Amino acid sequence: DRLSSWKADLLTKAGRLILLQYVLTSMLIYILLALELPPCVLKAIDKIRRGFLWKGRKDARGGHCLLAWPKVTRPICLGGLGISDLQKLGSALKLRWLWLQKTEPEKAWAFFPIQAQPQLQAFFAMAVETIIGNGKNTRFWLDRWLLGQSLKQTLPHLFSAIAVRARRRTVYDAISGRRWISDIKGALNMQVLIEYLHLWDLLSNIELQAGVDDTHIWRFSTTGVYSTKSAYEALFIGATQFGSWERIWKSWAPGKCKFFMWTVAHNRCWTADRLAKRGLNHPPKCPLCDQVGETIDHLLVSCVFSRQFWFCILQHFGLQAAAPQLDDHCFIDWWAGASSRFSGQVQKGVNSIIILGSWLVWKHRNYCVFDGGTPSLSRVMTTFREDVQQWSVAGARGVSYLLALPPTS
């Protein structure tokens, strides 16, 4: 039990995220590589991982979890935190054995049956294309070696007439002596005959190369060679992209600030509107302007206090044209528009400044709510000037570039 020695209560959620992904999850790699863990075991492990992330202990109640765990375990480009999905990670690791069995058939263990679910085997068959050499390591009916598809897909009626045992025949065996013809069993209808003639024409142009091995290509990597990373990412194909991921995770900022911006993008901050939905105590109006109800978009971009704050900090760098306008009501949309105005180091600096400004507005809001403080623009601006210098010294090159620009009048 290592969790107690990690002092999770002293870590930010961003710090726990690092330990969770690169230590706690990594402990399972060799187990997942060798075994297929039952769903109940994966669920129990996920309960521990979820509890450590949100509360720093083995378990956490539903109210402590800001976002559903299946969304959290997506890649960052899909809106998650990049924590490995154990089920998909296990599948990606299992694909490694199928790849080695296909590409290194001379290994002693290659003849042992590999326990893989039919869905995983179908995915592997779709992911691998073959360039024929001698045809001895490619299945005639099942592998993708002709026209970029398997004959099972291209000629489904003819494939249904093939004897079950013959369906795993290699290209070399099938073409030698035209054994694939003798594998056809049962009555032949018109569709089977049409596909038979089509296959005859296709094979008339195929010539095997006796001294050349078959070449297998993994479609999901630029090198054509299997990797666990490419297989894992391929299992998320079709998922919706997360538009803000680069501005959040590629910008220079401390991890805790990036984590906060991630919760902002998912509208998972405990502002008054979300507290009211759950029947919890909440401020009746925005703590900073005391004019309307509080939402995260209002707090960061629509509130008059925030707008004045954004104008002041952007004016300091001569970028006041990017400050929120009266028709800006969605923070993420405003951030995207403000960032797209610039390029290069200026854009990087603007993204870092917006992250810092949002973090300071949120901290000042909490100061007013929990400590009974009074909204003070001068207080936030003083903190901003101090922090922006510290970020520059710490390595924020975009911020350093903005600070080096000639002062504006």
Side-chain angles (χ1 to χ4, degrees), residues 44-314:
I45 296 173
D46 276 338
K47 182 179 179 180
I48 296 174
R49 298 199 303 162
R50 184 173 62 246
F52 180 75
L53 175 66
W54 297 119
K55 292 299 293 180
R57 54 178 186 243
K58 287 186 177 181
D59 57 351
R61 298 179 181 178
H64 297 147
C65 306
L66 297 182
L67 201 65
W69 191 246
K71 294 182 179 180
V72 173
T73 54
R74 290 180 178 180
I76 57 176
C77 61
L78 301 179
L81 289 175
I83 299 172
S84 297
D85 182 306
L86 294 182
Q87 184 177 12
K88 287 184 170 60
L89 179 60
S91 297
L93 292 170
K94 185 64 67 69
L95 287 169
R96 175 179 182 269
W97 296 114
L98 296 177
W99 171 259
L100 292 176
Q101 188 181 55
K102 171 66 70 175
T103 57
E104 300 181 15
E106 71 281 358
K107 299 293 186 182
W109 54 264
F111 298 97
F112 295 156
I114 297 176
Q115 300 299 325
Q117 297 179 355
Q119 299 91 330
L120 194 62
Q121 293 179 348
F123 179 86
F124 179 78
M126 178 273 299
V128 177
E129 292 183 355
T130 299
I131 299 176
I132 286 296
N134 55 26
K136 294 183 178 180
N137 191 28
T138 301
R139 294 176 297 179
F140 182 78
W141 296 104
L142 301 178
D143 288 343
R144 300 164 61 97
W145 66 278
L146 193 61
L147 301 179
Q149 290 185 322
S150 66
L151 295 180
K152 176 183 177 181
Q153 295 173 309
T154 307
L155 310 171
H157 299 96
L158 180 59
F159 177 78
S160 64
I162 301 300
V164 175
R165 290 185 178 181
R167 292 178 179 179
R168 302 186 68 84
R169 190 184 296 278
T170 65
V171 173
Y172 175 81
D173 291 336
I175 293 181
S176 300
R178 293 175 178 167
R179 295 176 185 173
W180 65 273
I181 298 177
S182 61
D183 292 335
I184 303 174
K185 304 296 181 182
L188 304 182
N189 56 35
M190 183 60 66
Q191 291 175 321
V192 173
L193 289 174
I194 292 174
E195 292 183 355
Y196 167 81
L197 294 175
H198 180 51
L199 179 57
W200 182 280
D201 291 338
L202 292 175
L203 295 180
S204 63
N205 299 321
I206 300 298
E207 293 184 4
L208 300 181
Q209 305 175 61
V212 180
D213 293 333
D214 298 338
T215 301
H216 303 288
I217 301 172
W218 180 257
R219 296 174 55 202
F220 300 114
S221 68
T222 56
T223 62
V225 179
Y226 163 88
S227 68
T228 304
K229 181 177 183 292
S230 65
Y232 180 79
E233 292 175 348
L235 294 174
F236 287 94
I237 290 177
T240 304
Q241 291 288 318
F242 182 57
S244 304
W245 77 274
E246 285 188 294
R247 288 191 299 277
I248 294 174
W249 299 109
K250 295 295 184 179
S251 300
W252 196 101
K256 62 181 180 182
C257 298
K258 292 182 179 181
F259 195 99
F260 166 70
M261 299 305 293
W262 176 78
T263 60
V264 169
H266 285 287
N267 191 24
R268 287 301 185 271
C269 298
W270 286 114
T271 46
D273 60 326
R274 298 193 68 240
L275 292 171
K277 288 180 180 179
R278 288 155 180 77
L280 303 175
N281 293 332
H282 60 278
K285 295 183 179 180
C286 173
L288 300 183
C289 69
D290 197 30
Q291 294 181 1
V292 297
E294 182 194 38
T295 65
I296 193 62
D297 286 322
H298 168 81
L299 180 68
L300 295 181
V301 80
S302 300
C303 176
V304 293
F305 180 94
S306 299
R307 285 184 177 175
Q308 187 176 3
F309 170 70
W310 288 121
F311 182 84
C312 290
I313 66 173
L314 291 172

Side-chain angles (χ1 to χ4, degrees), residues 373-391:
T374 303
S376 171
L377 182 61
S378 60
R379 179 189 180 100
V380 185
M381 287 299 301
T382 300
T383 305
F384 172 80
R385 295 188 188 97
E386 295 174 353
D387 287 357
V388 79
Q389 293 291 338
Q390 293 177 358
W391 283 30

